[in-house]
Amino acid sequence: MSVPSVPFSEQVNRYFDRAAAHTRHDPGLLAQIKACNSVYHFTFPLKRDDGSIEVIHGWRAEHSTHKLPTKGGIRFAPSVDEDEVKALAALMTYKCALVDVPFGGAKGGVRIDRTRYSQAELERITRRYTFELFSKNFIGTGIDVPAPDYGTGAQEMAWIVDTYAALAPNQIDSAGCVTGKPISLGGVRGRTEATGRGVYFGIREVCKVADDMRALGLAPGLEGKRVVVQGLGNVGYHAAKFLQDGGAVLVALAEREGAIENPRGLDVEQVMAHRRETGSILGFPEARSIPNPAAALELDCDIVVPAALENQITAENAPRIRARIVAEAANGPVTADASEILLKRGILIVPDLFLNAGGVIVSYFEWIKNLSHVRFGRMGKRFEEASNLRILEVVQDLTGRRLEPEVLSRIASGAGEADLVNSGLEDTMVLAYAEIREIARRHDVDLRSAAFIRSIDNIALTYEQRGIFP
Ligand code: GLU
């Protein structure tokens, strides 16, 4: 990976400016929308298991408080710094505005390589990080609500909610102080897979449009599309799995240790099992091993899905990308310069703002669940089932035909939590794609600019209707 010459937050601002030029909002208002409202950098000591003391750096950026709470993940990675956190927080603002999730954008990070710490050390880091946020009013159900991101998951979210509840006792809504929690602590079904599932819905929608596919020299539909996925973390793994189930062929998969390629297709479950057994995806049976994972991005395929970190496709490797579609499952995987090169080469970029929004969409559902204190579907599932059965009874009586009991109960079944979450996610992704595609056509711009235009319009509307606090 080559280091981009332009800082990440500057890249996001370039995207913003390019889109803002297609709007008619007051330049001062645009500057306010773009500005990061607050950022908190702190250090704290970690007592390591061997008794030594290490200074840990943590950040939380709240990019936009035009809607509250602010929302965004917490990342554990050696790359974390103030610029990265601010850029990612800005992307959260635009992402939420794009998909009509009523939050401002935020992001947090701890500069650590999590593989160098024991479980007990990670727990101490997470709890202390939460304490630091709490003491500066940077976390709370109506203030700022973290979630998992690169290098964190449900376990860290469990420690966060526990620490928060201890610091703020007797708050009836405290479960909503963080999302991505285990189900037993107020998490929602489908959150773990949400970003990957959203990536699948997004790519499926893109591939559905026959005219757009024809313009790229591809057949319509996901079936048979040759896909490369870079990164098999939570997002990459689930995206690969849903794409495979949806009929795509995974021709290459890449992880830290390298990449594997098989033009006939790789089974992602088997690859993950191989990695668990051997510690690496390399050496997977019947696949060609490629030691440099970055090379996977340049393989011949229809769709390349960078699903790891930012700045993966830069001006350096953009001319060598052979995919027809670059699907941004990660945040900021394509630099602004690279984006221009790819677009000039006629490659379709499906932007991160849209494509990886599934995580925060389902986080929103989890937060609603926490505020309402009831599982989705709990009140209606049986009722729905019973009324469907009544209708089916009438239809059977009228037609004189009887259905098998299993078929009957499958058709009649009411929606449970997972069904509702997945349906809400699918609906949001389908609508968002239709909207950005329409904006792209209207303004004759790429999908990323279209996504930014919609976000900027939505945020500006909030300010315009509400006015600026004196
Ligand atoms: N970290 C995820 C993202 O970048 C999810 C954020 C959230 O759910 O708040 O979108």
Side-chain angles (χ1 to χ4, degrees):
M1 184 184 94
S2 61
V3 179
S5 49
V6 186
F8 189 11
S9 58
E10 200 36 52
Q11 315 252 10
V12 177
N13 285 341
R14 277 206 210 169
Y15 288 141
F16 181 98
D17 291 339
R18 231 172 41 192
H22 293 268
T23 70
R24 297 217 185 109
H25 303 294
D26 180 288
L29 182 58
L30 289 169
Q32 163 59 26
I33 294 173
K34 204 161 69 163
C36 183
N37 290 171
S38 41
V39 53
Y40 176 35
H41 173 205
F42 47 97
T43 57
F44 56 85
L46 166 73
K47 189 155 193 188
R48 300 214 54 173
D49 292 344
D50 66 4
S52 63
I53 294 168
E54 194 176 305
V55 178
I56 303 287
H57 286 259
W59 284 264
R60 184 80 182 165
E62 291 173 355
H63 171 262
S64 180
T65 49
H66 76 288
K67 288 214 167 138
L68 288 173
T70 50
K71 189 85 191 77
I74 295 175
R75 160 175 297 205
F76 285 0
S79 62
V80 170
D81 63 17
E82 188 152 321
D83 185 75
E84 185 186 63
V85 168
K86 281 166 77 177
L88 292 165
L91 285 175
M92 285 307 302
T93 297
Y94 308 132
K95 196 187 306 187
C96 291
L98 172 66
V99 293
D100 281 328
V101 163
F103 297 139
K107 189 71 101 189
V110 181
R111 187 191 288 159
I112 53 164
D113 171 357
R114 64 169 296 143
T115 60
R116 288 186 45 243
Y117 297 88
S118 69
Q119 185 79 347
E121 288 170 337
L122 290 171
E123 177 171 354
R124 291 202 288 282
I125 291 170
T126 308
R127 288 187 183 278
R128 179 65 189 256
Y129 177 86
T130 310
F131 172 83
E132 296 295 335
L133 294 187
F134 184 85
S135 35
K136 291 287 194 293
N137 220 19
F138 267 75
I139 184 170
T141 308
I143 303 168
D144 186 353
V145 180
D149 197 81
Y150 186 90
T152 58
Q155 177 60 78
E156 285 74 22
M157 305 307 118
W159 291 327
I160 291 173
V161 71
D162 184 65
T163 308
Y164 180 84
L167 292 166
N170 307 319
Q171 276 193 17
I172 194 167
D173 291 330
S174 62
C177 76
V178 64
T179 59
K181 302 177 292 290
I183 307 285
S184 58
L185 296 178
V188 76
R189 283 161 187 80
R191 174 62 185 85
T192 308
E193 312 87 295
T195 313
R197 186 179 258 122
V199 167
Y200 157 70
F201 287 141
I203 294 177
R204 186 195 68 187
E205 289 309 294
V206 171
C207 291
K208 250 187 207 166
V209 188
D211 285 349
D212 295 355
M213 289 302 104
R214 212 168 297 126
L216 294 167
L218 299 173
L222 186 59
E223 191 67 39
K225 289 275 176 305
R226 297 168 307 138
V227 177
V228 172
V229 179
Q230 181 218 28
L232 293 172
N234 183 43
V235 178
Y237 159 68
H238 283 109
K241 181 170 141 6
F242 291 117
L243 287 166
Q244 180 182 332
D245 292 349
V249 182
L250 302 172
V251 292
L253 296 170
E255 247 302 330
R256 226 181 294 244
E257 62 271 16
I260 49 173
E261 184 192 23
N262 184 343
R264 288 191 309 281
L266 297 157
D267 180 87
V268 67
E269 292 299 350
Q270 283 175 18
V271 171
M272 295 304 277
H274 174 85
R275 191 170 197 242
R276 274 192 299 275
E277 258 165 47
T278 67
S280 168
I281 59 170
L282 299 177
F284 184 73
E286 289 174 42
R288 178 169 79 95
S289 287
I290 306 165
N292 174 14
L297 297 168
E298 300 169 23
L299 292 172
D300 181 27
C301 64
D302 300 320
I303 307 174
V304 63
V305 185
L309 287 169
E310 60 268 19
N311 295 329
Q312 299 301 301
I313 300 180
T314 64
E316 194 274 316
N317 59 358
R320 297 193 301 274
I321 300 296
R322 281 189 277 170
R324 301 301 300 142
I325 300 174
V326 174
E328 298 184 341
N331 286 309
V334 179
T335 67
D337 287 341
S339 214
E340 270 168 41
I341 296 171
L342 297 177
L343 293 173
K344 273 202 196 104
R345 294 185 51 218
I347 295 171
L348 183 77
I349 304 175
V350 190
D352 49 3
L353 285 197
F354 160 68
L355 196 65
N356 73 27
V360 77
I361 292 167
V362 175
S363 276
Y364 170 45
F365 301 154
E366 179 174 334
W367 185 75
I368 294 171
K369 176 187 184 180
N370 296 150
L371 293 185
S372 62
H373 300 266
V374 63
R375 186 182 73 234
F376 293 109
R378 181 163 180 179
M379 307 292 284
K381 188 173 189 302
R382 288 279 151 192
F383 183 81
E384 207 181 311
E385 222 159 83
S387 65
N388 288 344
L389 278 173
R390 280 197 298 274
I391 296 167
L392 285 166
E393 278 302 326
V394 174
V395 173
Q396 292 193 112
D397 288 347
L398 288 173
T399 58
R401 290 181 57 190
R402 311 300 303 174
L403 291 163
E404 294 293 323
E406 315 84 85
V407 179
L408 200 65
S409 71
R410 191 158 22 90
I411 302 176
S413 82
E417 182 168 85
D419 305 309
L420 292 166
V421 163
N422 294 338
S423 145
L425 170 60
E426 181 171 7
D427 190 51
T428 311
M429 294 300 292
V430 170
L431 285 178
Y433 187 64
E435 267 161 24
I436 59 172
R437 190 172 174 278
E438 164 56 25
I439 295 171
R441 285 160 67 99
R442 200 171 348 120
H443 290 271
D444 192 21
V445 293
D446 61 296
L447 288 173
R448 189 191 316 278
S449 294
F452 268 90
I453 290 172
R454 177 163 158 77
S455 300
I456 294 169
D457 283 346
N458 275 350
I459 302 166
L461 186 68
T462 304
Y463 277 112
E464 280 157 9
Q465 291 185 330
R466 197 184 66 185
I468 302 281
F469 189 76

